[in-house]
Amino acid sequence: MNWNKETAELKVHFSPYFKGLWYITDGKKILAAENETDLVWSASIIKLPIYLYYYEKAMQGEIDLATEVNVPVKNRVTGSGILHLLTSRETWTLEELLQLMIAVSDNEATNQLIQYAGLKALQNWIATKEWSEEIKLRRYLMDYASGVTNEVSARGAVNILQDILALGKQQAEWKDRIEKPLLKQQFRNGLPGALDERELPILEMMNKTGEDNGIRHDVALFRYHDQELFVGALTHEVKEEAKAYEWMQELGKRAYETVKAADAEKDRKEA
């Protein structure tokens, strides 16, 4: 598939409805990219580096994910997630908060994880990464009064997701724990939105979305057997939300076609 041609054609069709940024790679080469280093408001994509931080520290023996954290019922932030609804329970483990942060994009879980690690500590850790200039964690979730925003680029989002999944591949006993919330992601209306996992059991899709006023983002891995493709699709100045999702779904369909074709080609060569 000629990804540059495909993304250019999609841009012509969808550009009246939003401004898009994308970065697509098979992990070996860049297949297509546009404005991939531009920083935009991250929304919930900012949860990915927090997720990576905790699992990296846990695998290094510096954090015990079974540690229990008290989450007071009072003043839990709303928006996406369920903790603000589950008021009968105040104690959660760090790993439960991590799962909630990714699978249901829970804002309160995210803020508890930022508080436990320390905002400054997270910022210092991010500064050590190669993608540090393409992700900016500046505040807690829903803290609009702070006057600052969290930002991410399309390439930065992909790079972080790549690091998360590479971490799981280092030790088999961690792989399922790390991948589970991404595989069980409840927000599938973006890049995976046109693909029915029940009808495509070989295809694995791991994604994280980000949504707020005027922005719709998604970053995902498409895995078919051992063929992988990463897609970062960010939008801003969105005029029609449905068109932003339609664009992402078109990218997702092409991602599936790419990994499936690569798998078939591998089988042909090995036959």
Side-chain angles (χ1 to χ4, degrees):
M1 180 177 292
N2 184 333
W3 270 97
N4 285 318
K5 177 176 179 290
E6 295 291 327
T7 53
E9 290 176 352
L10 289 173
K11 178 183 178 180
V12 170
H13 181 74
F14 289 103
S15 60
Y17 307 107
F18 56 81
K19 291 184 178 179
L21 309 84
W22 57 89
Y23 183 75
I24 302 164
T25 178
D26 60 5
K28 301 172 185 175
K29 60 182 178 296
I30 300 168
L31 302 177
E34 181 159 305
N35 300 322
E36 70 275 15
T37 62
D38 289 359
L39 289 172
V40 295
W41 189 0
S42 68
S44 288
I45 299 292
I46 201 66
K47 294 167 182 174
L48 287 176
I50 300 168
Y51 192 72
L52 176 61
Y53 170 88
Y54 272 91
Y55 276 103
E56 186 178 286
K57 295 294 184 182
M59 289 176 66
Q60 293 169 353
E62 298 178 28
I63 289 179
D64 181 359
L65 297 183
T67 300
E68 293 187 336
V69 177
N70 182 258
V71 183
V73 171
K74 188 177 181 180
N75 296 325
R76 291 184 184 179
V77 297
T78 56
S80 60
I82 59 173
L83 280 182
H84 62 284
L85 302 173
L86 302 179
T87 55
S88 62
R89 181 177 171 187
E90 293 194 348
T91 302
W92 304 79
T93 67
L94 289 173
E95 190 151 38
E96 287 172 334
L97 294 176
L98 287 163
Q99 291 168 346
L100 290 169
M101 177 176 70
I102 298 300
V104 296
S105 202
D106 197 288
N107 290 331
E108 178 63 29
T110 306
N111 284 352
Q112 291 294 328
L113 291 164
I114 294 173
Q115 181 175 308
Y116 186 87
L119 180 59
K120 187 62 177 177
L122 285 165
Q123 291 169 334
N124 289 340
W125 171 83
I126 288 171
T128 68
K129 301 297 183 179
E130 291 183 3
W131 37 258
S132 63
E133 293 304 311
E134 296 186 41
I135 188 86
K136 299 298 178 183
L137 173 62
R138 298 188 178 103
R139 63 164 173 82
Y140 286 79
L141 275 292
M142 306 298 288
D143 185 14
Y144 298 114
S146 66
V148 295
T149 60
N150 298 321
E151 293 181 307
V152 69
S153 71
R155 186 175 70 180
V158 167
N159 289 165
I160 295 164
L161 183 59
Q162 287 177 305
D163 281 2
I164 289 170
L165 298 175
L167 193 66
K169 291 177 181 178
Q170 289 177 19
Q171 297 182 33
E173 64 270 25
W174 285 93
K175 183 175 183 289
D176 288 344
R177 291 170 70 178
I178 290 172
E179 293 187 357
K180 180 181 176 181
L182 292 159
L183 283 166
K184 301 299 183 182
Q185 169 64 247
Q186 298 300 295
F187 297 96
R188 294 292 216 190
N189 51 342
L191 291 164
L195 301 166
D196 190 339
E197 293 165 284
R198 295 168 299 179
E199 297 179 0
L200 303 168
I202 298 172
L203 179 65
E204 292 180 306
M205 297 180 287
M206 297 176 232
N207 74 300
K208 182 72 196 78
T209 60
E211 300 180 359
D212 215 310
N213 294 333
I215 59 171
R216 296 293 183 271
H217 305 325
D218 205 0
V219 56
L221 165 70
F222 294 81
R223 180 191 290 158
Y224 194 89
H225 288 141
D226 60 350
Q227 301 298 320
E228 295 185 342
L229 190 74
F230 291 87
V231 181
L234 312 185
T235 67
H236 60 117
E237 298 183 30
V238 175
K239 298 179 180 70
E240 290 191 30
E241 177 183 330
K243 292 296 184 181
Y245 286 128
E246 184 183 346
W247 172 66
M248 292 181 199
Q249 290 167 13
E250 289 296 328
L251 291 174
K253 287 190 289 186
R254 287 160 175 77
Y256 167 60
E257 291 168 7
T258 298
V259 292
K260 185 179 179 181
D263 184 68
E265 178 65 14
K266 179 184 175 184
D267 288 346
R268 186 189 65 80
K269 290 180 177 179
E270 292 177 350

